[in-house]
Amino acid sequence: MAQTMKDILNRMLNHEELTREETKNILVGITQSEYPTEQITALLTGIQMRGITVDELLGFRDGILETGVPVPLDCDRYIDVVGTGGDRKNTFNISTTACFVIAGAGYKVAKHGNYAATSVSGASNVIANHGVKFTDDLDRLNRCINEVGIVYLHAQLFARAMKFVGPIRKALPFPTLFNLLGPIVNPSQPQCQLLGVANLDQMRLYSNVYQKIGIDYGIVNSIDGYDEISLTGDFKVTTNDYERIFSPADLGFAIAKPEELKGGATEQEAKEIFDAVLENRALPAQKNIVLANAAFGIQVLEKGQKTIEECIGIARESIDSGRALETFKKFVELNS
C-alpha cells in the first residue's frame, strides 16, 4: 500500500480528512489483516473524536460492500426500514414490524438486520425466535422477495469485514464509525430506505450520504431522542422532497407514553409485542407507532406522490385486513 497506517494516523493528528478512496482501501486492508490492532483502534478513536465526513463514511461503505457477499435481487424497487440503534431506549422491534406491514400492503422489502447490540431484541433475534433460519442462498432469497414480498438479510452472513473489527468494537467504551455503517451496507443495495436516527447531526450526515448514493430516502428522528417515529412528541422527517417537523396530532394520532414503546425485559416479551401488532391486538400506541413508521416508508416507495394520510391508510389496511400477518406467516413457512 502506498500509505502506511502511520502516515494516515499522522494526518489525522493534523486534523486532515481522508478521501473516499483512502477509507475504502483501509477497510480492504483491515480484512487482509494488514494493520495491527493498536493502529485500527487509534484510527477508530481519532475519527470518533473528530467526527466522520461524508466521503470517509462512503469509502468505508464501499469497502464493506466490496469485501462482502453481494445479494443481487431480481426485483426493481424495494425498501429497507432500519434504525441506527444505540438510542438506549430499548423499544420493541418497530422497524421490523413496519417492514411486514409494508410488505403486507403489496410493496417489496429487503430488510437488513442483526442481533441486538444495545437493546433486548434486535431484528435477527425476533425473527430467529419464530424459528426462521437465516440464509445467504441467492435463489432462496430471490424466491422469498418474489413470493412473499419481503426478504430478510442477516448482516453477519454478508458483511465479512465486520468480524475483523468485532473484538476492537467490543473493547471500546464508545460507538465507532461501524455503528454508522450498519444502515447503509444492505448487501442488496436497495433503491429506497427509511432510516431512523438518534440525533439531528446524524440526520444531516445521512442526508448527504443518500444524496451521493442517489437513492430515494426518508430519515426520521424523534426530537426526544428516539431513532424512529416514537409518537412520544414531535419528530422530524427529511426526504428527497421535503424537511419538516410533525406532531403526532398532524397524523391523527394521540401522544404515546414512553413505557408503551418498551420492548420488554426478555426476547420472549419482545416477540409477544411483535406478534400482537401483526395480529391486530396490540396497545393502540404500539399499533400507531408501527403505522406511522410504515407510512413514511410507503411514502418513500411512492416517491412522495402520496400524502402521508394516504400512506397511513394503506398501512392500516395491511394490518386490519390481516395481510401483514399473512405475509409474516408465509415468510416464516418459507424460511423455517
Side-chain angles (χ1 to χ4, degrees):
M1 289 188 60
Q3 288 196 81
T4 66
M5 181 62 90
K6 282 186 174 173
D7 296 334
I8 295 233
L9 292 171
N10 268 322
R11 287 176 51 206
M12 296 283 303
L13 281 176
N14 290 325
H15 307 286
E16 288 179 42
E17 293 178 358
L18 306 176
T19 66
R20 182 168 176 173
E21 187 64 20
E22 283 171 332
T23 53
K24 183 188 118 171
N25 291 336
I26 289 168
L27 195 285
V28 173
I30 289 173
T31 65
Q32 292 166 354
S33 305
E34 285 178 18
Y35 314 114
T37 302
E38 294 81 357
Q39 291 183 344
I40 301 172
T41 308
L43 177 77
L44 296 181
T45 305
I47 289 179
Q48 194 62 25
M49 287 171 74
R50 158 163 73 66
I52 195 163
T53 67
V54 172
D55 277 346
E56 286 167 350
L57 190 61
L58 283 167
F60 283 115
R61 172 184 186 262
D62 295 340
I64 286 201
L65 292 172
E66 187 175 299
T67 56
V69 180
V71 181
L73 295 174
D74 49 18
C75 169
D76 58 354
R77 192 170 175 79
Y78 51 90
I79 195 167
D80 185 7
V81 181
V82 65
T84 51
D87 64 7
R88 308 267 174 208
K89 304 281 195 187
N90 193 31
T91 48
F92 72 96
N93 302 92
I94 295 168
S95 306
T96 311
T97 317
C99 281
F100 285 96
V101 172
I102 293 170
Y107 300 94
K108 299 274 197 261
V109 180
K111 169 76 178 138
H112 183 231
N114 211 333
Y115 294 119
T118 52
S119 59
V120 168
S121 177
S124 291
N125 302 83
V126 77
I127 284 178
N129 281 326
H130 286 86
V132 167
K133 306 272 187 288
F134 302 128
T135 183
D136 58 359
D137 179 306
L138 198 53
D139 291 339
R140 286 191 59 184
L141 296 172
N142 267 305
R143 188 180 156 204
C144 195
I145 196 166
N146 286 314
E147 289 183 20
V148 187
I150 183 167
V151 65
Y152 186 74
L153 305 170
H154 176 56
Q156 292 175 11
L157 295 177
F158 303 98
R160 291 185 176 147
M162 289 304 198
K163 68 171 179 287
F164 291 90
V165 292
I168 299 173
R169 293 174 73 192
K170 274 205 172 67
L172 292 173
F174 49 82
T176 68
L177 63 92
F178 287 97
N179 294 57
L180 296 172
L181 281 168
I184 52 174
V185 293
N186 181 321
S188 73
Q189 299 191 43
Q191 310 78 355
C192 306
Q193 190 156 31
L194 183 73
L195 173 67
V197 296
N199 59 59
L200 296 177
D201 286 343
Q202 287 184 354
M203 183 173 264
R204 278 190 292 277
L205 176 69
Y206 284 110
S207 292
N208 290 323
V209 164
Y210 286 136
Q211 282 163 20
K212 282 205 166 182
I213 300 172
I215 65 171
D216 294 326
Y217 67 89
I219 307 172
V220 302
N221 164 256
S222 290
I223 308 297
D224 53 1
Y226 286 89
D227 69 339
E228 48 226 335
I229 299 167
S230 63
L231 300 183
T232 48
D234 290 356
F235 59 94
K236 187 170 184 180
V237 180
T238 298
T239 72
N240 305 69
D241 306 309
Y242 67 83
E243 182 170 315
R244 69 169 275 203
I245 289 176
F246 292 86
S247 69
D250 294 335
L251 309 182
F253 293 131
I255 290 182
K257 298 186 185 73
E259 58 270 23
E260 294 175 305
L261 281 78
K262 285 278 180 248
T266 63
E267 288 190 19
Q268 188 53 38
E269 285 175 23
K271 173 180 183 274
E272 281 293 303
I273 299 170
F274 175 88
D275 291 347
V277 177
L278 293 182
E279 290 165 12
N280 205 8
R281 54 180 179 80
L283 297 173
Q286 291 169 336
K287 179 179 177 179
N288 291 346
I289 288 156
V290 170
L291 289 176
N293 286 276
F296 280 95
I298 289 167
Q299 193 179 49
V300 171
L301 278 156
E302 292 282 0
K303 282 188 172 289
Q305 301 300 303
K306 283 187 170 13
T307 65
I308 200 59
E309 291 72 21
E310 288 174 290
C311 297
I312 290 168
I314 293 168
R316 192 185 297 281
E317 168 66 15
S318 175
I319 294 181
D320 292 353
S321 65
R323 285 207 304 274
L325 178 63
E326 194 184 318
T327 298
F328 182 64
K329 284 181 168 164
K330 259 167 74 178
F331 169 81
V332 171
E333 203 178 303
L334 197 64
N335 292 285
S336 294

